[in-house]
Structure formats: C-alpha cells, structure tokens
Amino acid sequence: MTGLPPLPAAPPPAPPVSPVATAARTWVAMARAVSSAGARTTRVLDTARSGWSGTAADSAAARADRLGRLAAHRADAGFVGAAALASWACALEHLATERSRLLVRSDAEADALAQLVALPDGRPDAPAIRAGAWRRHDDLAAAWRGWQRAVDRADDALVEALVEALAARPALTHEQALDAAYRALLALDDSASADATRAALADGGTDTFLLDFDPSAFDGDGSAVIAYGAPSAADHVAVVVPGMTTDARSIGEVGAMALAVRGATQLRAPHDRTSTVAWVGYDAPADDDLHRGRLDPRDLADTIRVAGPGAAEEGGHELRDFVADATRHDQDVTVIGHSYGSTTAAHAASDGLDADRLVLLGSPGAGVDRASGLRLPTFVAANDLDPVTWIGSPEGHHAGPLGHDPAARDFGATRLPTDHVAAPHVDQPDAFVAIHCSYLLPGSSTLAAVGDVVTDHTPPTVPARTATGAGLAADWLLGQAAYELTSWR
C-alpha cells in the first residue's frame, strides 16, 4: 500500500540520571554541613571569646559574625541548588520512563506500517487504513514533541533555579581581591586594628609576605598566597589549605587560620622559626560559573566537579607543585587541609607531596581507603557533631563521594582531640556551622594539637571512629527526639 506516513523520528535521549542524582545528594550533604537557618554562629563567638580577650575578642567575634552570615548565604544557595538538581533528576527519571514507553509505541507502529506496505492499494478500505495510519503518526509525533518540550522545560527550570540561587553572590573584582590581600598582609580583618590582631599572637606581631596574587586566575576566582614569617628562613613551614567556596576574597579568612596556627607553634616551640602559609592557590569548588548563567544542564561537568573529587584532584597537583617550589628539602613541612581542602591536601599527598606530615581537619573524605595511601604521617581532627565529617564512611562501608572517612579506625591515621560541644538542636543548625569552623580557633584543643604536629612534637590523641557517618547522624537525631517533643513549651 502506498501513501503511508513515515515513522516519526525519536529525539535524542535526555542526559543520564545517575551523575545528576549523585551531584544532588552530595550537594545536599554539603549544604547541610553549613546550614542556612541562622546568620550568627554562637559556638564560634563563644569559643573565640574564651580563647582571646579584650579588643582581640571583639575582633574575633566580629569576624565570626561575618563568616556566619557568609556561610548562611552560601548554604541557602546550596539548598536551592541541590533542590534544583534533585528535581531535575526526578524529571529525567520520569522522562526516561516516558521515552521507553514511546519507543515501545514506535516499535509497534513500525511493525504495523511494515504490514500495511504489503497490502494492495485497490482494497476498498485502503483510504480508511491510510487515514488511521496518519492519525497514529500525528499522535505519535505530537507525543514525541511533547516529550522534547518537557526535556527543554526541565533544562530551563534547572538553569533558572541555579542562577537565582547564586545571583546574590557578586562577581570577584580586582579591587575586592586587592583589599582582601592588603588586609591579610597587615593581619587585619574588616573590624580589627593591627594592634588588636597582633595582641592575639604570642610574639606581638609577625612579618608577612605576598607569595602569589592573581585576581584573574581560575576563571576569575583569583589566587592569593600569603606567608606569616619568612618561609625561606623557617625551621617549620605549615601550609593551610581551605575548602569549598574559597576564592581570592577569602584570603583574609584563610590568613586568620594560618595566623592561629603560627600562634600555636610559637607557644609550643617559642625558639623555633615558623612560617605559616595561607594558600588560596587552587580552583576550589565555587559557584561563579552558575552565577554567570553559563551552566548547560546537558553538560553537568562543572556541577559534578563541585560535588565530587575533581577539583581536589586538580588542586592536589597545584599544591604539590607549590610546596616543591616554596620549600627546601631540608625544611620540616606540614600541610593542613580544612573541609574540602583536606580532600585536596590528601590528593596532593597521594600525588607525591614533598612534606613531612599531613593534617586533615573536618574532612569529608581523603580519597583513599588507608592512610598508607597518603604516604605521609597523617593526623585527623573530626568532631563527631561536624556533619561534613559524616559524608565519608569507614572501611567496609560504602565510601562517600570524596572517599573514606580519615577519622575511621580502619583508615589508620592519628586522631587529634576536638573540643566537647553540646549537640545542636534541630532549630539551631547554625551551630553546625560553628562546629565545622572551630578546629583552628584560638584556645581550641585541636589548634594546640596542630601546634604540636607542626613543630614535630607528640600531640595528644583520641580513639579513632568506629561509627559510620549515617550512624553519627542517627545518634544525633535520636538525641534530639526528647527536645523536639518538649520544645513547643
């Protein structure tokens, strides 16, 4: 029979669901680690005041307040972005099911058309058969067009949600980066004077050195590296590696951590020369690409890189090269990574980092199953109430997206002490931010232990973990049950 319609062409399949779903789950976990409920980080303020006094305490409190607001904003963006990814993943799963149904329908129509071709044109019912075939053709073609429109709507909704979530973050400017570097060089933050900050240091002040500054690096995120104390003349060098959302504007915050480490080393070994380096020298996971609206939902490489180990692997190469160039082989070198920066530092160690020790603080995963894979003596600090450290899992359990938990017993690292804190209530998620940011606060037990590690003294230790991240989360939730039942009072 002639005059039959062609089989409607099926559009290409939607993007695969699995990487999107993985990114969404990881983003949710990261966002919960810096929860969005509050702007002030009460625990940070209390710990800062207990470690410092006078104007220095006021300076620390102001910085903690500012960091809390920044974390709250970024957590808000993370939650919205995670919800957008999760919604898109669900849409793709539905669309994949619908596409399979339409393919079955197309196959059936192809078989029907093949049978109709064999029929003679002179049949009395030929016009009706042709009309029926064309109706089915039009219906199937309309179904495929509707399916493609649904894919396009899902794409557009994802881009709109991500851009809206991150639109409040201003793009980095040279002036902002320069101001941050200037303040870090003077050991200042926005509300502190040089005297107030130096009062918190055991030696009353320190020389500072700008080792690298490029506001245009990493597609506009910028790089900045500042040393407190001359690295070339130091007996001990410690490099502090920050985590997610870090760019050149963050050098003051990273510098504060490096200054705290230097103060701890001077208390432990006052006659040793120590240099601590604030290293914003890699493309830490950030949201500038999303903010600029350049994300193509059909190519989630950048998004998956943010949620996974890609940036840590690339940053590990940068960190390895920096340490090799900035230090001598006869110097005692410790690399300290915090949060996602610990994953970066661990990848550098796996990649041949020329250092003597590795310290991982608040780590979401070390990228290897055993400390032996890092090739360096490894020290870990992980508060059991720090949800970022719940992301990894010990050996024998499914690893997190960034690798196994380095605080786990089977990992084989030395675990440093952390301060005891009260379990945050469900309506106090800002306290989780404070816990995650508390490792290098002045006066903390972890900071004192890090000072021991950097100066090659034996630090105090605590038992390694045997619980999984899911188990720690479950313990916290069970502990909050009574509070939730009575909080209405």
Side-chain angles (χ1 to χ4, degrees):
M1 183 179 293
T2 59
L4 296 173
L7 186 71
V17 175
S18 55
V20 180
T22 299
R25 285 194 297 269
T26 305
W27 200 338
V28 168
M30 293 292 188
R32 284 175 178 163
V34 284
S35 177
S36 60
R40 293 187 61 84
T41 56
T42 305
R43 176 62 187 168
V44 171
L45 297 177
D46 291 344
T47 305
R49 291 192 179 104
S50 66
W52 291 357
S53 62
T55 55
D58 294 337
S59 169
R63 184 171 66 86
D65 186 27
R66 187 168 59 258
L67 286 173
R69 289 195 301 271
L70 179 61
H73 164 68
R74 286 175 172 167
D76 279 334
F79 276 124
V80 173
L85 285 172
S87 176
W88 194 52
C90 290
L92 292 184
E93 289 174 346
H94 172 75
L95 288 167
T97 301
E98 178 65 13
R99 189 173 193 274
S100 297
R101 189 183 68 80
L102 289 174
L103 287 173
V104 171
R105 184 176 166 186
S106 292
D107 290 342
E109 183 61 21
D111 292 340
L113 289 173
Q115 294 176 12
L116 293 180
V117 168
L119 296 178
D121 288 328
R123 289 174 53 120
D125 57 350
I129 293 174
R130 291 190 186 94
W134 276 101
R135 282 195 301 271
R136 294 194 303 276
H137 169 274
D138 292 343
D139 290 344
L140 185 56
W144 277 122
R145 289 194 298 271
W147 183 89
Q148 184 62 61
R149 285 194 298 270
V151 173
D152 294 340
R153 285 195 300 269
D155 289 356
D156 293 342
L158 175 63
V159 171
E160 182 179 351
L162 293 178
V163 172
E164 179 182 356
L166 302 166
R169 184 185 182 202
L172 175 67
T173 66
H174 282 52
E175 291 77 12
Q176 289 172 319
L178 184 61
D179 180 66
Y182 170 76
R183 291 181 174 279
L185 282 167
L186 294 182
L188 287 167
D189 65 22
D190 289 344
S191 61
S193 66
D195 290 340
T197 304
R198 289 173 182 152
L201 299 174
D203 65 351
T206 186
D207 294 327
T208 57
F209 301 86
L210 183 63
L211 304 185
D212 178 69
F213 180 67
D214 182 2
S216 63
F218 307 126
D219 199 22
D221 280 349
S223 65
V225 182
I226 291 177
Y228 300 94
S232 60
D235 302 309
H236 309 285
V237 178
V239 181
V240 177
V241 183
M244 288 183 69
T245 70
T246 300
D247 58 26
R249 287 170 294 190
S250 310
I251 187 61
E253 299 159 16
V254 184
M257 293 193 290
L259 278 170
V261 171
R262 188 165 194 264
T265 63
Q266 290 171 333
L267 290 173
R268 188 65 178 88
H271 301 298
D272 291 358
R273 294 169 298 180
T274 302
S275 174
T276 55
V277 180
W279 187 74
V280 183
Y282 76 114
D283 192 7
D287 48 35
D288 277 14
D289 282 347
L290 308 182
H291 167 66
R292 294 168 189 157
R294 298 186 310 197
L295 179 68
D296 182 353
R298 295 185 178 279
D299 181 9
L300 284 183
D302 288 341
T303 303
I304 295 171
R305 175 180 170 277
V306 167
E313 294 171 355
E314 296 168 12
H317 301 322
E318 300 279 354
L319 177 58
R320 178 203 60 192
D321 294 345
F322 168 78
V323 172
D325 293 340
T327 62
R328 304 189 311 269
H329 290 293
D330 61 340
Q331 284 182 303
D332 184 66
V333 179
T334 302
V335 173
I336 304 166
H338 174 250
S339 193
Y340 192 90
S342 70
T343 309
T344 301
H347 279 283
S350 302
D351 196 35
L353 177 67
D354 186 13
D356 296 277
R357 288 167 295 279
L358 184 66
V359 179
L360 310 178
L361 307 175
S363 179
V368 295
D369 293 341
R370 293 285 192 276
S372 58
L374 301 177
R375 309 175 189 176
L376 294 173
T378 302
F379 301 83
V380 178
N383 193 305
D384 285 343
L385 289 171
D386 178 357
V388 171
T389 69
W390 299 347
I391 295 173
S393 289
E395 180 66 15
H397 297 270
H398 178 66
L402 301 179
H404 285 288
D405 175 12
R409 181 178 61 188
D410 291 341
F411 188 81
T414 301
R415 191 177 180 190
L416 303 176
T418 57
D419 293 333
H420 173 75
V421 294
H425 295 312
V426 176
D427 58 353
Q428 298 173 322
D430 55 306
F432 282 119
V433 181
I435 292 170
H436 183 60
C437 297
S438 66
Y439 295 101
L440 294 181
L441 284 175
S444 74
S445 59
T446 304
L447 177 61
V450 170
D452 287 329
V453 173
V454 171
T455 54
D456 199 18
H457 291 84
T458 301
T461 62
V462 297
R465 278 181 180 167
T466 56
T468 65
L472 292 170
D475 289 344
W476 171 75
L477 287 171
L478 288 173
Q480 297 308 301
Y483 171 78
E484 284 297 298
L485 289 172
T486 58
S487 60
W488 61 272
R489 300 183 183 183

